[in-house]
């Protein structure tokens, strides 16, 4: 059996890639994908720990995360489509009408 | 589901069901009479407030230790519901005037309030996560509610991206905490963490949770979204989210850290100390250079998050903690009241297309509308912490608690930054009283009602702070 540590290291790597992606990429859709990667890294950790403790709590949490992430996608994509309709462009760097 | 379970979440069930029914009922309300939707949503909030008040003094866990009702949650829920009633009152005239009058505004608000209430009642990290999303997702939509206004859409996208980013931290933090302790229930985590040595995994998990909640309550260095979102969102939404989301965020932070992580307080205290100090300093200093009133109030809300964070610093100290939490709760109330008042004045002056929002637009207000100028002065003085206002009493309790905890340096930073804040708050007052100008305001009964109620409360409550502080202390004691 693959030790739990390996899963946790993998999930930490995925989480870091996701977080870096959010900070570096300039397209909201890619940023959004990076956020999903962060959530899935957490899901992986949950499932691995759930296996380690032989309890269901972690797996239940994963279902909640998946369901909520879907709801978030619905709202997020709608917002991005909406701003695209107004601006014809979704680059984050050009979202600069608000400053002080 | 037993009867006790049901009673534990009765108010928020009623509110959620009410919101769903309102969504349907709204379809049959003609477009030009959306005031009915506003009235119905206010009625729902009032009914929920009534039910919450019947829960005062009640204390029990429900749904296998998933949710809890206790003095703390009831106190927070009452503030939240009262704030959201003000939120409806502010929105009523504003969205009509700005041509945003769509019924789903109120429904989204009710859903968000449900999430906030659930946040205060969460006794398990699963529920904390669920409540966090339930409160945030409607707020993302509300921030972009003025579409196709570009600024509002931009605010929505920015709020959404950073909000979802912070959710990622909360979820991963929870995963690590689960890994360290084998449970997600707050009581279980406390138990597992205090028996045996707290591992590195637990500390990292708690730190990630702190990052996630730091985003929600707008603590420096996780505050970048705040000024943009507060400026771009419709002002009535800004007023609602700057109070509601902050109260709920702090409620969850207090509950999670005080009840689950006392065993790692040595590490976390240092981090919160730095966060609180940075938040106060950066918030207050950046606010000085703002010329837009919405942006200035956004930085001011960041600064106030710093003051409230001070209440967390002594959280590992069992003797000081109850007083300090009570001071934090008291400050939340004083902040919420003052904040709604200040935003109500801003809404009175706001014109279509974001006009009337510069601080210079307040020039001459005192001559033309003396009552409104007096109200705004009261709010600004309360933000500074000047007598005789609620803000002063709030800061007094807070600094006293922090000094009692042995963090005199932090209290000193608080005092000095409050002095700095006088500069930009008083600039609004100076504009109103000493500059010439010809402002026009929008008068509308519910807006006037909010302004008058909050101004009177800000002054009147400062003369009898004891009973409010007493209630906050009773609420705080139940946490431990």
């Amino acid at each position: 059996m693959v030790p739990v540590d390996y899963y946790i290291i993998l999930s930490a790597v995925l989480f870091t890639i996701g977080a870096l992606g959010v900070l570096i990429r300039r397209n909201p859709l890619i940023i959004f994908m990076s956020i999903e990667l962060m959530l899935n890294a957490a899901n992986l950790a949950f499932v691995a720990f759930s296996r380690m403790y032989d309890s269901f709590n972690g797996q239940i949490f994963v279902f909640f995360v998946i369901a909520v992430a879907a709801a978030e996608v619905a709202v997020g994509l709608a917002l991005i489509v909406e701003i695209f309709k107004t601006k014809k462009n979704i680059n984050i760097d050009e979202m600069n009408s608000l400053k002080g | 589901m037993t009867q006790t379970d049901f009673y534990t979440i009765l108010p928020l069930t009623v509110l959620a069901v009410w919101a769903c029914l309102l969504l349907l009922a709204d379809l049959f309300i003609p477009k030009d009479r959306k005031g009915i939707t506003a009235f119905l949503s206010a009625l729902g909030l009032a009914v929920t407030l009534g039910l919450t008040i019947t829960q005062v003094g009640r204390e029990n866990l429900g749904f296998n230790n998933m949710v809890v009702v206790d003095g703390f949650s009831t106190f927070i829920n009452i503030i939240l519901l009262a704030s959201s009633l003000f939120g409806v009152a502010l929105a009523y005239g504003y969205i009509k005037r700005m041509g945003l009058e769509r019924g789903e505004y109120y429904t989204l608000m009710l859903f968000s309030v449900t999430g906030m209430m659930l946040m205060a009642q969460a006794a398990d990290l699963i529920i904390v996560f669920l409540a966090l999303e339930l409160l945030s997702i409607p707020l993302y939509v509300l921030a972009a509610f003025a579409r196709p206004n570009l600024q509002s859409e931009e605010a929505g996208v920015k709020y959404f991206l950073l909000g979802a980013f912070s959710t990622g931290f909360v979820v991963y933090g929870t995963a690590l905490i689960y890994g360290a302790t084998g449970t997600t229930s707050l009581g279980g985590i406390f138990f597992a963490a205090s028996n045996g040595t707290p591992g590195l995994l637990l500390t990292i998990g708690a730190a990630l949770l702190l990052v996630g909640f730091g985003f929600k309550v707008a603590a420096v260095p996780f505050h970048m979204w705040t000024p943009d979102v507060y400026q771009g969102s419709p002002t009535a939404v800004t007023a609602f989210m700057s109070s509601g989301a902050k109260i709920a965020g702090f409620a969850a932070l207090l509950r999670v850290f005080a009840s689950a992580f006392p065993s790692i307080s040595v590490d976390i205290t240092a981090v919160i100390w730095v966060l609180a100090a940075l938040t106060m300093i950066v918030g207050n200093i950046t606010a000085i250079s703002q010329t837009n009133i919405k942006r200035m109030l956004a930085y001011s809300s960041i600064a106030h998050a710093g003051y409230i964070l001070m209440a967390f610093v002594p959280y590992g100290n069992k003797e000081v903690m109850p007083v300090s939490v009570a001071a934090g709760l008291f400050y939340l109330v004083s902040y919420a009241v003052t904040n709604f008042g200040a935003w109500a004045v801003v809404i009175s002056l706001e014109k279509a297309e974001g006009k009337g929002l510069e601080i210079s637009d307040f020039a001459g207000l005192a001559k033309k509308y003396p009552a409104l100028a007096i109200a705004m002065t009261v709010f600004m003085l309360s933000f500074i912490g000047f007598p005789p206002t609620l803000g002063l009493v709030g800061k007094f309790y807070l600094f006293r608690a922090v000094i009692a905890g042995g963090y005199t340096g932090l209290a000193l930073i608080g005092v000095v930054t409050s002095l700095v804040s006088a500069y930009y708050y008083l600039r609004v007052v100076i504009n109103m009283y000493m500059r010439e100008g010809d402002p026009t305001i929008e008068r509308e009964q519910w807006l006037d009602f909010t302004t008058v109620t909050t101004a009177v409360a800000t002054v009147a409550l400062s003369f009898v702070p004891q009973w409010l502080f007493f209630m906050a202390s009773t609420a705080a004691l139940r946490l431990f």
Side-chain angles (χ1 to χ4, degrees):
Chain A
M1 198 176 100
V2 184
V4 172
D5 293 8
Y6 290 16
Y7 290 108
I8 304 311
I9 291 167
L10 176 63
S11 89
V13 169
L14 285 176
F15 184 79
T16 317
I17 294 174
L20 284 177
V22 172
L23 297 174
I24 294 170
R25 301 306 289 263
R26 303 275 51 117
N27 183 319
L29 289 173
I30 310 248
I31 292 182
F32 199 34
M33 283 159 67
S34 305
I35 291 170
E36 292 294 311
L37 194 59
M38 289 166 72
L39 292 179
N40 283 327
N43 287 348
L44 179 62
F46 267 120
V47 173
F49 284 131
S50 192
R51 177 83 180 272
M52 182 175 99
Y53 285 113
D54 213 8
S55 84
F56 285 115
N57 275 10
Q59 296 177 28
I60 290 163
F61 203 123
V62 170
F63 279 117
F64 276 99
V65 174
I66 293 172
V68 168
E72 230 174 30
V73 169
V75 168
L77 290 183
L79 287 173
I80 295 171
V81 167
E82 201 58 50
I83 201 166
F84 180 76
K85 280 204 265 182
T86 316
K87 256 179 94 94
K88 305 286 175 238
N89 182 344
I90 51 168
N91 192 320
I92 286 284
D93 288 329
E94 288 174 38
M95 290 191 194
N96 51 10
S97 67
L98 298 163
K99 47 182 167 219
Chain B
M1 193 168 85
T2 66
Q3 211 168 354
T4 327
D5 287 345
F6 179 69
Y7 196 68
T8 313
I9 57 158
L10 180 64
L12 57 96
T13 319
V14 168
L15 194 60
V17 171
W18 195 292
C20 296
L21 292 179
L22 190 62
L23 196 60
L24 286 176
D26 182 56
L27 290 173
F28 302 102
I29 296 173
K31 251 204 163 107
D32 50 337
R33 303 189 61 192
K34 290 299 182 195
I36 299 173
T37 318
F39 172 75
L40 287 175
S41 71
L43 187 66
L45 288 167
V47 168
T48 317
L49 184 59
L51 286 173
T52 309
I53 289 172
T54 65
Q55 287 188 325
V56 169
R58 198 183 167 89
E59 235 174 293
N60 64 269
L61 288 154
F63 294 98
N64 290 321
N65 303 340
M66 282 286 192
V67 283
V68 60
V69 56
D70 56 9
F72 179 76
S73 75
T74 314
F75 185 87
I76 294 279
N77 282 350
I78 290 173
I79 321 175
L80 281 172
L81 288 164
S83 313
S84 20
L85 279 171
F86 280 131
V88 174
L90 286 187
Y92 175 73
Y94 179 82
I95 61 173
K96 200 184 282 178
R97 192 163 95 220
M98 296 292 161
L100 307 174
E101 201 174 30
R102 297 194 290 269
E104 63 267 29
Y105 184 98
Y106 300 105
T107 320
L108 287 167
M109 240 182 95
L110 293 195
F111 279 125
S112 188
V113 177
T114 313
M116 290 168 188
M117 289 172 68
L118 186 59
M119 194 101 150
Q121 291 192 266
D124 191 295
L125 290 174
I126 296 183
I127 302 294
V128 170
F129 166 70
L130 210 59
L132 183 72
E133 291 301 289
L134 184 54
L135 100 82
S136 305
I137 294 178
L139 280 183
Y140 305 147
V141 183
L142 283 176
F145 204 75
R147 73 188 173 84
N149 173 322
L150 182 61
Q151 295 205 335
S152 174
E153 286 175 348
E154 211 177 290
V157 171
K158 282 180 179 168
Y159 193 27
F160 166 72
L161 287 176
L162 284 164
F165 187 46
S166 73
T167 306
F169 283 97
V170 171
V171 175
Y172 200 70
T174 311
L176 295 187
I177 292 164
Y178 175 63
T181 59
T183 171
T184 50
S185 115
L186 296 182
I189 294 168
F190 171 73
F191 206 67
S194 26
N195 302 336
T197 48
L200 184 63
L201 215 51
L202 185 67
T203 315
I204 298 176
L208 286 173
L209 270 191
L210 194 60
V211 171
F213 285 119
F215 269 106
K216 270 282 150 300
V217 302
V220 176
F222 316 114
H223 69 292
M224 305 79 70
W225 57 273
T226 319
D228 285 0
V229 172
Y230 281 19
Q231 187 190 351
S233 308
T235 312
V237 176
T238 313
F240 171 62
M241 76 176 156
S242 63
S243 306
K246 199 155 282 198
I247 296 170
F250 274 115
L253 206 55
L254 273 171
R255 163 126 32 219
V256 170
F257 279 79
S259 56
F261 300 129
S263 58
I264 48 169
S265 63
V266 185
D267 300 315
I268 300 290
T269 296
V271 179
I272 300 182
W273 195 103
V274 174
L275 279 184
L278 269 180
T279 311
M280 288 187 283
I281 295 170
V282 173
N284 278 313
I285 289 184
T286 331
I288 291 177
S289 61
Q290 303 305 321
T291 54
N292 181 300
I293 185 88
K294 282 174 95 173
R295 264 188 115 76
M296 189 205 94
L297 285 177
Y299 280 107
S300 133
S301 94
I302 295 174
H304 285 283
Y307 294 119
I308 302 166
L309 265 180
M310 287 206 310
F312 285 75
V313 176
Y315 93 91
N317 187 335
K318 274 219 158 51
E319 276 147 38
V320 188
M321 189 54 186
V323 186
S324 151
V325 170
L329 289 179
F330 187 96
Y331 201 85
L332 272 178
V333 177
S334 93
Y335 169 76
V337 171
T338 314
N339 194 42
F340 267 107
W343 285 109
V345 178
V346 173
I347 288 179
S348 308
L349 270 105
E350 185 174 350
K351 309 283 173 307
E353 288 164 10
K355 297 280 185 319
L357 288 173
E358 295 299 308
I359 294 176
S360 51
D361 290 324
F362 281 75
L365 196 67
K367 213 174 244 169
K368 218 168 154 190
Y369 304 102
L372 196 65
I374 290 173
M376 190 60 168
T377 312
V378 166
F379 302 134
M380 292 296 117
L381 291 181
S382 177
F383 273 145
I384 302 171
F386 205 79
T389 57
L390 206 50
L392 167 82
V393 192
K395 275 193 179 141
F396 168 73
Y397 282 134
L398 206 53
F399 293 152
R400 194 183 61 175
V402 173
I403 291 172
Y407 299 93
T408 319
L410 193 64
L412 209 62
I413 296 179
V415 173
V416 172
T417 49
S418 299
L419 287 178
V420 171
S421 76
Y423 178 78
Y424 62 86
Y425 289 128
L426 287 181
R427 204 171 53 193
V428 178
V429 178
I430 287 172
N431 260 297
M432 290 192 301
Y433 281 90
M434 301 186 179
R435 301 264 157 80
E436 294 296 318
D438 187 30
T440 50
I441 61 165
E442 301 287 337
R443 303 237 14 203
E444 187 258 311
Q445 49 178 351
W446 290 109
L447 198 56
D448 289 349
F449 168 79
T450 311
T451 319
V452 172
T453 322
T454 47
V456 170
T458 308
V459 177
L461 283 178
S462 77
F463 289 106
V464 280
Q466 302 88 350
W467 73 269
L468 184 57
F469 190 73
F470 174 74
M471 288 204 295
S473 319
T474 337
L477 273 179
R478 295 285 171 261
L479 261 184
F480 308 96

